[in-house]
Amino acid sequence: MTRRPPLVLVAPAAAAVAFLVLPGVALVQRAPWSSLHDLLTESAVADAMRLSLVVSLAATAVAVALGLPLAWLLARVDFPGRALLRALVLLPMVLPPVVGGTALLFALGRRGLVGQWLDRWFGLTLPFSTTGAIVAATFVAMPFFVLTVEAAIRQSDPGLEDAAATLGATPLTTFRRVTVPLVAPSIAAGAALTWARALGEFGATVAFAGNVPGRTQTLPLATFLALESRPEEAIALSLVLLAVSLAVLVSLRRHWILR
Amino acid sequence: MTRILLATVALLAAACSSTSKPTVRVLAASSLTDVYAQLASEFEEAHPGVDVELQFAGSSQLASLVVEGAPGDVFASADLVTMARVVDRGEARVDPEVFATNSLTLVVPTDNPAGVTGLDDLADRDLLVAQCAVEVPCGSAASALFASRDLVVEADSLEPNVRAVLTKVELGEVDVGVVYSTDALAAADRVAEVPLDPQRVANEYAIVTLDGAPAEADEFVAFVLSAAGRAALADHGFGLP
């Protein structure tokens, strides 16, 4: 039985939709459709698009590889200071990204806390490199993955894991064969969120990795600079980000999240 | 739910309610941050009852705001091309006036690890160089400077603004950065300057009252152009026209 939804809920919801969608519509309306193809096939733009894909996908891969064990640890292992640790690892979500990027410089820069040793021992300099851009994107995006997956593991039935253990499965086997399949939809959802965040990442990247065309100049950086002198190109670049993320989020939602 | 809505509306109303004080909203280029903060408080002291509201950002970003109809009374741009974008769209009430100039200089980490002595060193490919991206005025000025000396410089990072260049130098991520003289002066305790010889004016700052501004806005512009304004600008390392 469905009843008419109350207006007091529908009206603010509609306002929220209008507020969130309107800027996107305005962007599409301002798009230079006739010159769009030329703008987007320019080699600098193509470079930024390719780099954005590489950086955001690599950041997502790192976030999944490191974030999944962390989410499991936070959800399933009881240890002193767990609440504090959770707050600390989620910090990048509330830290202004530019501050996060500068903090990364303090930590991993050429003269940073750890970075000076990376530089001295391995000759590894992260700023101004694509690896640096991946580090920055991972820093801001990984918490989204950890948060999503931790909540899912918490809500999954620990009885199934206990059953596996009583049947002789080692903790690692239980994690691989029971826990991960149980929360697979949330892993996909978390990865999608993480990827979207990494794709749009600007502040930490520009502060930590700088703006080097072909190496660290991702789509958001190229867009920001284009806005300074070539607004048409900025709009075209934004349309690409808009279209790609919309497509991926919609398709993910249909195939994995809402099974 | 209703209570939350009402509270939100009340909050918004409180945030929007304006005082009766006349307010001059000044949109100024980022490089003017320190000197304009000083000028604004001096102006407020001399004109009790007038409120100066400062907003700093890259000149082009501010020009876009003005052209798109954002509220503002005075616009101070770091170059004439950006000023023209605003004037050409009929947003200015009077003709803009040039009130200051700036030149480019080199800054290095305080211990100058690469031993930079002058502009010619920048041609060295192994030197880590940061400059502004050519899309922003400090970047196009840097490129023009290199071209004027027939130098080919491959910058290792093209920062979105001059403060970002300073940060990269201060933290030792690069060996040398190209910034404005005023920025080098403001950061004198954190970076070392390698002055250029001869100096070259990189850009001219222009100021204008925008259409629909209150009379107090014209007074603020006059104050910037006055002897007191010029003295403050000179203190902060600006050149005077």
Side-chain angles (χ1 to χ4, degrees):
Chain A
M1 184 183 76
T2 49
R3 285 212 259 160
R4 228 161 64 89
L7 190 67
V8 72
L9 293 182
V10 171
V17 169
F19 173 63
L20 294 173
V21 173
L22 188 65
V25 173
L27 198 65
V28 172
Q29 174 251 328
R30 274 287 189 99
W33 293 112
S34 52
S35 52
L36 198 61
H37 182 262
D38 292 344
L39 285 172
L40 293 180
T41 46
E42 214 180 293
S43 74
V45 173
D47 274 356
M49 287 201 274
R50 185 191 48 80
L51 189 67
S52 256
L53 264 171
V54 170
V55 168
S56 60
L57 288 174
T60 308
V62 177
V64 172
L66 302 180
L68 186 56
L70 176 59
W72 175 82
L73 194 79
L74 289 172
R76 281 288 187 255
V77 184
D78 200 10
F79 56 92
R82 180 163 68 162
L84 179 67
L85 186 72
R86 179 184 299 117
L88 284 177
V89 299
L90 296 182
L91 204 61
M93 288 179 86
V94 291
L95 213 56
V98 178
V99 176
T102 310
L104 279 173
L105 272 184
F106 298 154
L108 301 174
R110 203 152 63 118
R111 293 185 178 178
L113 215 53
V114 175
Q116 56 178 316
W117 304 111
L118 293 179
D119 189 44
R120 203 166 303 171
W121 292 343
F122 309 109
L124 186 65
T125 324
L126 290 174
F128 315 133
S129 70
T130 302
T131 317
I134 295 169
V135 167
T138 309
F139 179 76
V140 292
M142 182 149 71
F144 288 86
F145 183 79
V146 175
L147 195 72
T148 313
V149 176
E150 192 218 335
I153 297 180
R154 243 170 220 287
Q155 282 159 18
S156 70
D157 183 3
L160 293 171
E161 292 171 358
D162 292 342
T166 52
L167 292 173
T170 64
L172 195 59
T173 309
T174 309
F175 173 77
R176 277 195 310 137
R177 308 286 296 273
V178 180
T179 316
V180 170
L182 263 179
V183 298
S186 294
I187 292 177
L193 265 178
T194 303
W195 178 78
R197 178 65 188 85
L199 188 70
E201 165 43 38
F202 171 78
T205 309
V206 78
F208 180 61
N211 172 51
V212 192
R215 262 193 291 163
T216 75
Q217 192 186 68
T218 52
L219 268 179
L221 270 66
T223 308
F224 179 80
L225 283 166
L227 213 45
E228 295 283 341
S229 53
R230 306 177 300 273
E232 302 246 295
E233 189 183 314
I235 295 170
L237 287 169
S238 307
L239 280 182
V240 174
L241 278 172
L242 203 78
V244 172
S245 49
L246 209 61
V248 169
L249 290 176
V250 166
S251 66
L252 269 183
R253 211 156 168 76
R254 194 170 310 141
H255 292 307
W256 287 326
I257 302 170
L258 288 183
R259 284 203 304 191
Chain B
M1 181 69 212
T2 320
R3 216 177 299 162
I4 298 176
L5 272 180
L6 286 177
T8 313
V9 170
L11 207 67
L12 282 175
C16 294
S17 77
S18 58
T19 51
S20 51
K21 261 185 169 183
T23 303
V24 180
R25 291 159 300 187
V26 178
L27 310 176
S30 314
S31 44
L32 296 167
T33 304
D34 297 334
V35 65
Y36 265 43
Q38 184 191 327
L39 286 174
S41 62
E42 282 177 21
F43 181 80
E44 282 174 339
E45 241 167 72
H47 299 76
V50 181
D51 214 16
V52 178
E53 215 176 82
L54 297 169
Q55 188 185 338
F56 299 104
S59 301
S60 344
Q61 213 177 329
L62 290 174
S64 301
L65 279 173
V66 172
V67 170
E68 297 290 335
D73 302 318
V74 173
F75 175 53
S77 152
D79 69 329
L80 302 182
V81 178
T82 311
M83 178 54 84
R85 263 177 63 200
V86 168
V87 174
D88 292 349
R89 294 289 289 261
E91 302 283 349
R93 183 153 74 192
V94 289
D95 284 336
E97 285 203 61
V98 173
F99 66 96
T101 62
N102 214 339
S103 48
L104 289 176
T105 190
L106 302 180
V107 286
V108 295
T110 43
D111 56 347
N112 196 356
V116 176
T117 57
L119 195 59
D120 293 337
D121 294 348
L122 271 66
D124 179 359
R125 295 286 297 274
D126 293 333
L127 201 70
L128 288 171
V129 181
Q131 69 168 79
C132 292
V134 291
E135 287 88 347
V136 291
C138 61
S140 52
S143 299
L145 174 70
F146 299 150
S148 75
R149 304 273 187 96
D150 286 324
L151 271 182
V152 179
V153 178
E154 285 201 19
D156 295 274
S157 191
L158 303 166
E159 300 292 331
N161 58 58
V162 70
R163 306 262 155 173
V165 176
L166 269 179
T167 306
K168 296 287 193 297
V169 174
E170 189 188 331
L171 295 176
E173 294 304 332
V174 294
D175 300 317
V176 61
V178 186
V179 300
Y180 290 124
S181 303
T182 52
D183 297 297
L185 187 67
D189 54 335
R190 292 171 284 137
V191 296
E193 185 179 354
V194 179
L196 294 184
D197 186 38
Q199 282 208 338
R200 200 178 107 108
V201 167
N203 58 317
E204 295 179 300
Y205 290 79
I207 191 168
V208 79
T209 319
L210 296 174
D211 225 18
E216 286 83 359
D218 296 315
E219 289 175 34
F220 181 79
V221 172
F223 180 66
V224 171
L225 296 167
S226 73
R230 289 170 70 89
L233 285 160
D235 275 352
H236 283 87
F238 287 95
L240 298 171

